[in-house]
Amino acid sequence: LGGGARRERSDQDRGPRESLAGLELGEAVAKAVEQLPGPLRQTLVLRYFEGLSFAEIARVTERTEVAVRKRYSRALAQLGRLLEEAMS
C-alpha cells in the first residue's frame, strides 16, 4: 500500500536516549510557552494545544480573526527564539 500512512513510534519503540531527548524538548517547550506574554501564550495554547480555529479564538478573545492570526504568528516566532536560546 503506497499511500504512506506513517506509524508514530511509541515510547516503547524509542531507546532511552531518544526518550530522554523527547522529555527534555517537551520541558523546554513548556518553559518557553510560560515565558510568552499573556495574549501570545493564550492564542498559542488555544490554537495549538486546544485545537481551536482562528475564528473560534477570535470569538473567545473578542478580537478580530486577523488580530488572532497576527498574535499566533508572533507567538510562534517568539517561541522559536526562546527555544533557540534554551538549546544553545
Side-chain angles (χ1 to χ4, degrees), residues 4 9-10 17 20 26 30 36-37 39 44 54-55 66 71 78 81:
R9 292 173 55 180
S10 71
R17 286 186 185 175
L20 180 60
L36 292 173
L44 180 75
F54 290 117
V66 170
R71 275 189 181 172
Q78 191 165 341
R81 286 190 297 273

Side-chain angles (χ1 to χ4, degrees), residues 27-82:
E27 289 174 7
V29 169
K31 286 180 183 178
V33 169
E34 288 174 8
Q35 292 178 31
L36 292 173
L40 298 183
R41 183 175 57 248
Q42 177 189 40
T43 302
L44 180 75
V45 168
L46 291 173
R47 175 71 178 165
Y48 189 81
F49 296 103
E50 299 295 328
L52 271 62
S53 70
F54 290 117
E56 291 169 323
I57 298 168
R59 280 193 299 276
V60 168
T61 60
E62 298 179 344
R63 299 284 182 253
T64 66
E65 191 172 333
V66 170
V68 169
R69 287 178 183 274
K70 287 180 181 179
R71 275 189 181 172
Y72 185 68
S73 178
R74 286 195 307 267
L76 290 177
Q78 191 165 341
L79 183 65
R81 286 190 297 273
L82 290 167

Side-chain angles (χ1 to χ4, degrees), residues 4-14:
R6 194 172 65 128
R7 179 169 101 60
E8 293 296 322
R9 292 173 55 180
S10 71
D11 287 339
Q12 294 173 352
D13 294 338
R14 295 183 181 129

